Amino acid sequence: GENVEQHPSTLSVQEGDSAVIKCTYSDSASNYFPWYKQELGKGPQLIIDIRSNVGEKKDQRIAVTLNKTAKHFSLHITETQPEDSAVYFCAASSTGANNLFFGTGTRLTVIP
Amino acid sequence: DTEVTQTPKHLVMGMTNKKSLKCEQHMGHRAMYWYKQKAKKPPELMFVYSYEKLSINESVPSRFSPECPNSSLLNLHLHALQPEDSALYLCASSQRGTGTTTYNEQFFGPGTRLTVL
């Protein structure tokens, strides 16, 4: 089955700096890669996703890149703000499947 | 309406109690999920309903019993739970059911924080 690894487990950045979280996956059949943000006491919120037919996707301060050959994908947050502080999970899935294989999570702290 | 709602927000129960968790979505999604999340861990899949039929049961103990009365509602019936079952229980939904040629874009509810005494 699919195995998703996520690094780092914790990340602290100064407000205004950039944050990068990296994930690798093992199954070449995976073609959908969502990122979730989970704030304390809340459910995971889908913030951005990327499909294997594109290499990069941007939404305001958030971008995701995908390298299919190397089987890794990354989340980039620019101009970080204190409200970006949360746990971020990457995940992988394949077309038609219902399973989302999650990474172990990254706790991001943005220091004002 | 792009929301998945869950009730109750918090639940405390004894090991002999019977309780139910409820989940609702009005996005017309045809797949619904139950996940269990322990502290500092990712969500773990428990059950998947596709077109109101149970399609995945990840070897969950029988003290957890899912039910899908219609395409908008999902219940999780709890009976004779153990203290180690204390966790955040998350419901999610996605547009299409299993076996379709679509991506698995899942939307999560806020969860029910369950404590078993």
Side-chain angles (χ1 to χ4, degrees):
Chain A
E2 176 63 278
N3 180 45
V4 178
E5 295 190 358
Q6 183 173 347
H7 299 282
S9 57
T10 60
L11 178 60
S12 290
V13 299
Q14 292 288 335
E15 182 177 356
D17 287 351
S18 295
V20 180
I21 302 170
K22 297 184 179 184
C23 290
T24 60
Y25 62 99
S26 60
D27 189 349
S28 55
S30 290
N31 59 2
Y32 174 64
F33 307 93
W35 285 89
Y36 287 88
K37 174 185 181 182
Q38 188 171 24
E39 296 175 273
L40 197 62
K42 297 187 178 180
Q45 177 194 2
L46 179 64
I47 56 171
I48 195 167
D49 57 20
I50 192 166
R51 299 167 189 190
S52 62
N53 56 349
V54 299
E56 183 174 358
K57 184 176 177 181
K58 260 186 137 174
D59 183 3
Q60 298 181 40
R61 297 185 297 108
I62 293 174
V64 59
T65 58
L66 171 65
N67 183 328
K68 281 168 49 181
T69 305
K71 294 199 185 74
H72 64 72
F73 57 111
S74 301
L75 178 71
H76 304 252
I77 307 174
T78 58
E79 299 170 28
T80 53
Q81 300 165 4
E83 51 264 38
D84 295 329
S85 296
V87 178
Y88 291 81
F89 291 102
C90 63
S93 183
S94 55
T95 307
N98 277 125
N99 303 57
L100 274 181
F101 294 91
F102 284 93
T104 47
T106 296
R107 179 171 297 280
L108 173 65
T109 302
V110 180
I111 304 162
Chain B
D1 186 354
T2 58
E3 207 180 9
V4 177
T5 58
Q6 290 187 244
T7 55
K9 277 192 165 181
H10 302 275
L11 179 61
V12 179
M13 59 187 290
M15 289 191 284
T16 57
N17 292 157
K18 280 186 182 180
K19 297 285 185 183
S20 296
L21 309 184
K22 294 185 186 305
C23 174
E24 193 165 0
Q25 58 86 14
H26 294 289
M27 295 179 278
H29 288 178
R30 302 310 304 272
M32 295 185 76
Y33 312 76
W34 281 115
Y35 287 86
K36 173 182 177 180
Q37 188 178 28
K38 298 285 256 185
K40 300 185 181 181
K41 297 286 187 184
E44 291 176 44
L45 184 64
M46 300 174 72
F47 302 104
V48 180
Y49 272 84
S50 175
Y51 299 101
E52 295 138 63
K53 288 184 167 42
L54 184 65
S55 67
I56 295 178
N57 175 342
E58 292 286 357
S59 304
V60 179
S62 60
R63 57 186 184 268
F64 296 91
S65 174
E67 179 197 19
C68 188
N70 60 56
S71 60
S72 301
L73 291 174
L74 187 65
N75 298 322
L76 186 62
H77 303 296
L78 314 172
H79 173 54
L81 294 193
Q82 305 295 311
E84 59 265 29
D85 296 322
S86 298
L88 181 68
Y89 287 84
L90 294 161
C91 174
S93 69
S94 63
Q95 189 171 21
R96 294 284 188 264
T98 51
T100 59
T101 56
T102 56
Y103 296 96
N104 191 5
E105 194 175 16
Q106 292 188 22
F107 297 90
F108 284 83
T112 293
R113 174 73 59 191
L114 174 67
T115 303
V116 182
L117 301 176

